[in-house]
Structures are given as C-alpha cells and as structure tokens.
C-alpha cells in the first residue's frame, strides 16, 4: 500500500540546519502551515545551549514552532534524527509535553538479528546481536579494494 498524506513533508538535511537560525526561517515556515518538518542529523542544534549562539537560536526557533502560541498557529510536526545520546540533548527538548515519541535504534538482540540475517541469506549473525547496518552490509568490506598495477618501463 502506498502511503498518501495531505500534509506536506519538508526535509532539512544537515547542510540546511544553519538556516533554522536565520531571520528568514520563521517567514518561510509560516507559509507551510500543517506540514511535517524532517530534520536529519540535528545533534548540533539539540546540544545544551551554551556558547554557540547560532545553535541556541536554531533550537529556540524549533521550540517556538513546536510548542506554544506559534505552534498552535502553524500546526507543524517535527521529526528529528540525531546520532548522540539522549543525555546530550538540551533539557528543554525533553520537557514534559514536548515529545510525542522518542525511539533509540539499538542493536537487534541475537534472536532478531539471526532471524533477519537468515531471511537475507546471511548466516554469519547467528547467536550475536547486530545493528541493521551490520546485517544489511555483511558482505561489504567498507572500502573499495584497488588493484595497484605498476606502469612504466621495465629495466633488467
């Protein structure tokens, strides 16, 4: 079944996170009422507020559009991914009522890892826990092996 939504999804890759603190962000996002904003790899924005004024301004904008009067007017939802421990996230993000859900992707336990690996025809994960990346890329060395042929003149 194909997923259909009447809501607009707006994707912000890590390269565009800087735009969250610019003066143009709020006017831009206000034109996209009732949308879903997807922020990828946004740990730099969610770190506890301190010396980085740009990150603090970006976090402030996100908090304002997700909670309070501005949130009521815009009716936005945010989906944010980050690659850091939840302990390293600013406390204001974790405040009661701010999050609908928080999910941490951990290694699959040995039974689930073995089941998925077997389904994929990769039997080297039986009895061990593993991440999805490890299972899906089991046959990949993680680098390209190059054949370094020598060229030039041969001397005897």
């Amino acid at each position: 079944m194909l997923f259909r939504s009447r809501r607009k999804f707006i994707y912000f890759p890590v390269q565009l996170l800087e735009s969250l603190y610019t003066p143009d962000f709020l006017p831009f996002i206000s034109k996209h009422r009732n949308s879903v904003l997807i922020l990828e790899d946004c740990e730099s924005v969610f770190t506890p507020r301190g010396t980085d004024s740009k990150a603090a301004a970006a976090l402030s904008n996100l908090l304002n559009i997700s909670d309070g009067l501005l949130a009521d007017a815009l009716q936005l939802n945010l989906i944010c991914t980050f690659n850091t421990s939840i302990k390293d996230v600013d406390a204001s993000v974790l405040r009661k009522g701010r999050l609908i859900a928080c999910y941490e992707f951990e290694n699959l336990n040995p039974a689930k890892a073995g089941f998925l690996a077997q389904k994929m025809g990769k039997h080297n994960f039986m009895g061990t826990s593993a991440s999805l990346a490890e299972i899906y890329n089991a046959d990949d060395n993680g680098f390209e092996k190059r054949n370094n042929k020598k060229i030039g003149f041969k001397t005897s």
Side-chain angles (χ1 to χ4, degrees), residues 118-138:
Q118 184 177 13
K119 284 281 201 187
M120 296 181 63
K122 300 177 183 191
H123 302 285
N124 48 340
F125 290 99
M126 301 305 180
T128 63
S129 65
S131 70
L132 291 175
E134 291 171 325
I135 296 169
Y136 277 88
N137 297 297

CSV table of all heavy atoms in Angstrom, one decimal, residues 118-138:
chain,number,residue,atom,x,y,z
A,118,GLN,N,19.1,-14.6,8.5
A,118,GLN,CA,18.7,-15.8,7.8
A,118,GLN,C,17.7,-15.5,6.7
A,118,GLN,O,17.9,-16.0,5.6
A,118,GLN,CB,18.0,-16.8,8.8
A,118,GLN,CG,17.6,-18.1,8.2
A,118,GLN,CD,17.0,-19.0,9.2
A,118,GLN,OE1,16.7,-18.7,10.3
A,118,GLN,NE2,16.9,-20.3,8.8
A,119,LYS,N,16.8,-14.6,6.9
A,119,LYS,CA,15.9,-14.1,5.8
A,119,LYS,C,16.6,-13.5,4.6
A,119,LYS,O,16.2,-13.7,3.5
A,119,LYS,CB,14.8,-13.1,6.3
A,119,LYS,CG,13.8,-13.7,7.2
A,119,LYS,CD,12.7,-14.3,6.3
A,119,LYS,CE,11.4,-14.4,7.0
A,119,LYS,NZ,10.5,-15.2,6.2
A,120,MET,N,17.7,-12.9,4.9
A,120,MET,CA,18.5,-12.3,3.9
A,120,MET,C,19.6,-13.2,3.3
A,120,MET,O,20.4,-12.8,2.5
A,120,MET,CB,19.1,-11.0,4.4
A,120,MET,CG,18.1,-9.9,4.8
A,120,MET,SD,18.9,-8.4,5.5
A,120,MET,CE,19.7,-7.9,4.0
A,121,GLY,N,19.7,-14.4,3.8
A,121,GLY,CA,20.7,-15.3,3.3
A,121,GLY,C,22.1,-15.1,3.9
A,121,GLY,O,23.0,-15.5,3.3
A,122,LYS,N,22.2,-14.4,5.0
A,122,LYS,CA,23.5,-14.1,5.6
A,122,LYS,C,23.5,-14.8,6.9
A,122,LYS,O,22.9,-14.3,7.9
A,122,LYS,CB,23.6,-12.6,5.7
A,122,LYS,CG,23.5,-11.9,4.4
A,122,LYS,CD,23.6,-10.4,4.5
A,122,LYS,CE,23.5,-9.8,3.1
A,122,LYS,NZ,23.8,-8.4,3.0
A,123,HIS,N,24.3,-15.8,7.0
A,123,HIS,CA,24.2,-16.7,8.2
A,123,HIS,C,25.3,-16.4,9.2
A,123,HIS,O,25.5,-17.1,10.2
A,123,HIS,CB,24.3,-18.1,7.8
A,123,HIS,CG,23.1,-18.5,6.9
A,123,HIS,ND1,21.8,-18.6,7.3
A,123,HIS,CD2,23.1,-18.6,5.5
A,123,HIS,CE1,21.1,-18.9,6.3
A,123,HIS,NE2,21.8,-18.9,5.2
A,124,ASN,N,26.1,-15.3,9.1
A,124,ASN,CA,27.2,-15.0,10.0
A,124,ASN,C,26.7,-14.2,11.2
A,124,ASN,O,27.5,-13.8,12.0
A,124,ASN,CB,28.3,-14.3,9.3
A,124,ASN,CG,27.8,-13.2,8.4
A,124,ASN,OD1,26.7,-13.1,8.1
A,124,ASN,ND2,28.7,-12.3,8.1
A,125,PHE,N,25.4,-14.1,11.4
A,125,PHE,CA,24.9,-13.4,12.6
A,125,PHE,C,24.2,-14.2,13.6
A,125,PHE,O,23.5,-13.7,14.4
A,125,PHE,CB,24.1,-12.2,12.2
A,125,PHE,CG,24.8,-11.1,11.5
A,125,PHE,CD1,24.9,-11.0,10.1
A,125,PHE,CD2,25.6,-10.2,12.3
A,125,PHE,CE1,25.6,-10.0,9.5
A,125,PHE,CE2,26.3,-9.2,11.6
A,125,PHE,CZ,26.3,-9.1,10.3
A,126,MET,N,24.3,-15.5,13.4
A,126,MET,CA,23.6,-16.4,14.3
A,126,MET,C,24.2,-16.4,15.7
A,126,MET,O,25.4,-16.6,15.9
A,126,MET,CB,23.6,-17.9,13.8
A,126,MET,CG,23.0,-18.0,12.4
A,126,MET,SD,21.3,-17.3,12.5
A,126,MET,CE,20.8,-17.6,10.8
A,127,GLY,N,23.4,-16.0,16.7
A,127,GLY,CA,23.8,-16.0,18.1
A,127,GLY,C,24.5,-14.7,18.5
A,127,GLY,O,25.0,-14.7,19.6
A,128,THR,N,24.5,-13.7,17.7
A,128,THR,CA,25.1,-12.4,18.1
A,128,THR,C,24.2,-11.3,17.8
A,128,THR,O,23.3,-11.3,17.0
A,128,THR,CB,26.4,-12.2,17.3
A,128,THR,OG1,26.1,-12.0,15.9
A,128,THR,CG2,27.5,-13.3,17.5
A,129,SER,N,24.3,-10.2,18.6
A,129,SER,CA,23.5,-9.0,18.4
A,129,SER,C,24.2,-8.2,17.3
A,129,SER,O,25.4,-8.4,17.1
A,129,SER,CB,23.4,-8.2,19.7
A,129,SER,OG,24.6,-7.7,20.1
A,130,ALA,N,23.4,-7.5,16.6
A,130,ALA,CA,24.0,-6.7,15.5
A,130,ALA,C,23.0,-5.5,15.1
A,130,ALA,O,21.8,-5.6,15.4
A,130,ALA,CB,24.1,-7.6,14.2
A,131,SER,N,23.6,-4.5,14.5
A,131,SER,CA,22.8,-3.4,14.0
A,131,SER,C,22.2,-3.8,12.6
A,131,SER,O,22.7,-4.7,12.0
A,131,SER,CB,23.6,-2.1,13.9
A,131,SER,OG,24.6,-2.3,12.9
A,132,LEU,N,21.2,-3.0,12.2
A,132,LEU,CA,20.7,-3.2,10.8
A,132,LEU,C,21.8,-3.0,9.8
A,132,LEU,O,21.9,-3.7,8.8
A,132,LEU,CB,19.5,-2.3,10.6
A,132,LEU,CG,18.2,-2.6,11.4
A,132,LEU,CD1,17.2,-1.5,11.1
A,132,LEU,CD2,17.7,-4.0,11.0
A,133,ALA,N,22.6,-2.0,10.0
A,133,ALA,CA,23.7,-1.7,9.0
A,133,ALA,C,24.6,-2.8,8.9
A,133,ALA,O,25.1,-3.2,7.8
A,133,ALA,CB,24.4,-0.4,9.5
A,134,GLU,N,25.0,-3.5,10.1
A,134,GLU,CA,25.9,-4.6,10.0
A,134,GLU,C,25.3,-5.8,9.3
A,134,GLU,O,26.0,-6.4,8.5
A,134,GLU,CB,26.3,-5.0,11.4
A,134,GLU,CG,27.1,-4.0,12.2
A,134,GLU,CD,27.3,-4.3,13.6
A,134,GLU,OE1,26.3,-4.9,14.3
A,134,GLU,OE2,28.4,-4.1,14.2
A,135,ILE,N,24.0,-6.0,9.4
A,135,ILE,CA,23.4,-7.2,8.8
A,135,ILE,C,23.2,-6.9,7.3
A,135,ILE,O,23.6,-7.7,6.5
A,135,ILE,CB,22.0,-7.5,9.4
A,135,ILE,CG1,22.2,-7.9,10.9
A,135,ILE,CG2,21.3,-8.5,8.6
A,135,ILE,CD1,21.0,-8.0,11.7
A,136,TYR,N,22.7,-5.7,6.9
A,136,TYR,CA,22.5,-5.4,5.5
A,136,TYR,C,23.8,-5.3,4.7
A,136,TYR,O,23.8,-5.5,3.5
A,136,TYR,CB,21.6,-4.1,5.4
A,136,TYR,CG,20.2,-4.3,5.5
A,136,TYR,CD1,19.6,-4.3,6.8
A,136,TYR,CD2,19.4,-4.6,4.4
A,136,TYR,CE1,18.2,-4.5,6.9
A,136,TYR,CE2,18.0,-4.8,4.6
A,136,TYR,CZ,17.4,-4.8,5.8
A,136,TYR,OH,16.1,-5.0,5.9
A,137,ASN,N,24.8,-4.9,5.4
A,137,ASN,CA,26.1,-4.7,4.7
A,137,ASN,C,27.1,-5.8,5.1
A,137,ASN,O,28.3,-5.5,5.0
A,137,ASN,CB,26.7,-3.3,5.0
A,137,ASN,CG,25.8,-2.2,4.5
A,137,ASN,OD1,25.5,-2.1,3.3
A,137,ASN,ND2,25.2,-1.5,5.4
A,138,ALA,N,26.7,-7.0,5.4
A,138,ALA,CA,27.6,-8.0,5.9
A,138,ALA,C,28.6,-8.4,4.9
A,138,ALA,O,29.7,-8.8,5.2
A,138,ALA,CB,26.8,-9.2,6.3
